[in-house]
Amino acid sequence: MSNFLPINTILVPQGAEYKAVCRGLSGITGFIPTVVAIPVGMKPLLKYLQQGEFLTPKSRVLIMGICGSLSDRHTVGDIVLYQDCIYQGKLQECDHTFTAQLYSLLSEKVSLVKSLTSDRVIWSAPEKRCLGETLAADVVDMEGFTALEFFNAARVSVAMLRVVSDDCQHNMPDLTPAINSDGSLNPFILAIAMLRQPFAATRLIRGSLTALKVLEQVTNLLFSGSSNQ
């Protein structure tokens, strides 16, 4: 068993990210947390969390997945551990103790970061760099702030561990229209967005595959390492 309270639940965006985390846990013996696939985006996630049974005090929720870089310091495949998330000038912090314990387990492989949560896909490289500089944020995702606001209000300890899938040097396709109102992806609209920008799409796919492989590996490392201590 680990040297800190077991992680009860892992929340990870549905689809490829969820599958990567499940693959990472597939060979683990001993205590394995419940892995829950969550919808993509702030509003769908909030609706989902409000319907869920996540409000058990003293539980620990680890949010995993991929994210985009807003800084030259973080590139594709980098593992990042969140300190906090900002959204429209508001800030929510991750659980300090939980985060510190995860950092001590992964310290040589992980960077502590500040995150921006966005209600749309930040696809333009100049906008990424601008947001990174003006908001002093390192990475961007579409769920972090909402999850922290919800769980912090419920006094549930949360940490966030993600892997960078796209850098801030290149544009990526604008995938916002491909995200349905329920937080699922529309494969047809996604395909059209990719076809409109083939070079950006190829880079995004390559970066995502790299990040998903690292996500699988860090999941395995985290739980195989903790189960042996």
Side-chain angles (χ1 to χ4, degrees), residues 122-130 167-172:
I122 309 295
W123 58 271
S124 143
E127 185 182 11
K128 281 186 176 189
R129 292 194 296 272
C130 180
D167 62 30
C168 65
Q169 299 299 325
H170 304 93
N171 291 345
M172 55 185 257

Side-chain angles (χ1 to χ4, degrees), residues 49-201:
L49 291 175
Q50 287 170 338
Q51 295 167 348
E53 298 296 319
F54 299 107
L55 298 179
T56 48
K58 294 192 177 177
S59 65
R60 287 187 160 198
V61 174
L62 178 61
I63 296 169
M64 302 186 77
I66 59 179
C67 61
S69 175
L70 301 177
S71 160
D72 291 333
R73 292 188 301 277
H74 306 289
T75 188
V76 172
D78 285 0
I79 304 166
V80 293
L81 184 62
Y82 287 18
Q83 294 174 292
D84 51 48
C85 286
I86 53 170
Y87 174 71
Q88 293 186 347
K90 293 180 287 185
L91 182 138
Q92 289 284 336
E93 293 189 336
C94 295
D95 183 274
H96 294 287
T97 305
F98 189 6
T99 301
Q101 288 165 336
L102 286 170
Y103 185 75
S104 71
L105 278 173
L106 300 168
S107 56
E108 292 174 15
K109 299 177 173 62
V110 71
S111 301
L112 287 168
V113 296
K114 295 181 174 295
S115 171
L116 165 69
T117 298
S118 173
D119 51 14
R120 61 187 173 85
V121 175
I122 309 295
W123 58 271
S124 143
E127 185 182 11
K128 281 186 176 189
R129 292 194 296 272
C130 180
L131 286 169
E133 289 164 12
T134 55
L135 300 174
D138 303 294
V139 296
V140 60
D141 69 36
M142 297 182 69
E143 300 85 25
F145 183 89
T146 300
L148 278 179
E149 190 171 48
F150 178 84
F151 287 118
N152 285 346
R155 300 183 182 280
V156 173
S157 298
V158 179
M160 294 201 201
L161 186 68
R162 291 192 182 239
V163 180
V164 175
S165 63
D166 51 281
D167 62 30
C168 65
Q169 299 299 325
H170 304 93
N171 291 345
M172 55 185 257
D174 182 6
L175 305 182
T176 304
I179 301 172
N180 296 324
S181 59
D182 65 355
S184 62
L185 285 174
N186 182 312
F188 180 69
I189 298 175
L190 182 67
I192 291 172
M194 294 290 216
L195 288 169
R196 281 186 179 142
Q197 294 174 279
F199 291 112

Side-chain angles (χ1 to χ4, degrees), residues 20-36:
V21 168
C22 289
R23 282 196 304 273
L25 290 171
S26 61
I28 302 296
T29 55
F31 178 82
I32 296 179
T34 305
V35 186
V36 180

